[in-house]
Amino acid sequence: MVISVSGDASADVVRLLADPARAAIVDLLAAGPACTCHLVDDLGLTQPNVSNHLRALRHAGVVKAEPYGRYTYYHLNADALEAAAAHLTDLAARARAAADRRREC
């Protein structure tokens, strides 16, 4: 579960992707949908570990699950990633604009 500090879903996605395993899952899913067994094989993680990460990614809206026969395939939600990218772009613009402003002590 993602704990929101800011109340901003895009910021939550950024924090969620700070975990190396979750970032690796997102990177693999960028190549196309995969089921848990593919991710376990590709990452060398245990099935419960991958499933827990997928649950957190689904909860944040980064990954969507799609049943396919006996399996569930996971794919990325591009809109959530674009919103997170826009959040980072906004932070960078604010940082540039405020680079010369120092607060008085």
Side-chain angles (χ1 to χ4, degrees):
M1 178 168 165
V2 178
I3 298 172
S4 177
V5 174
S6 66
D8 182 353
S10 298
D12 293 340
V13 169
V14 171
R15 278 190 290 282
L16 184 72
L17 294 179
D19 181 281
R22 290 180 186 142
I25 289 171
V26 168
D27 190 56
L28 287 171
L29 292 179
C35 67
T36 305
C37 63
H38 298 131
L39 298 171
V40 167
D41 288 343
D42 292 345
L43 296 171
L45 300 173
T46 65
Q47 184 274 325
N49 194 325
V50 170
S51 292
N52 286 333
H53 287 302
L54 286 169
R55 182 177 57 241
L57 291 166
R58 276 193 333 267
H59 181 73
V62 175
V63 169
K64 294 181 180 178
E66 180 182 350
Y68 187 78
R70 292 181 14 195
Y71 301 98
T72 299
Y73 276 77
Y74 298 90
H75 60 92
L76 292 179
N77 178 0
D79 293 338
L81 294 174
E82 287 172 349
H87 175 74
L88 290 174
T89 300
D90 179 57
L91 286 175
R94 288 173 34 206
R96 278 192 193 93
D100 294 330
R101 281 187 265 161
R102 288 186 179 81
R103 293 171 46 183
E104 293 296 323
C105 294

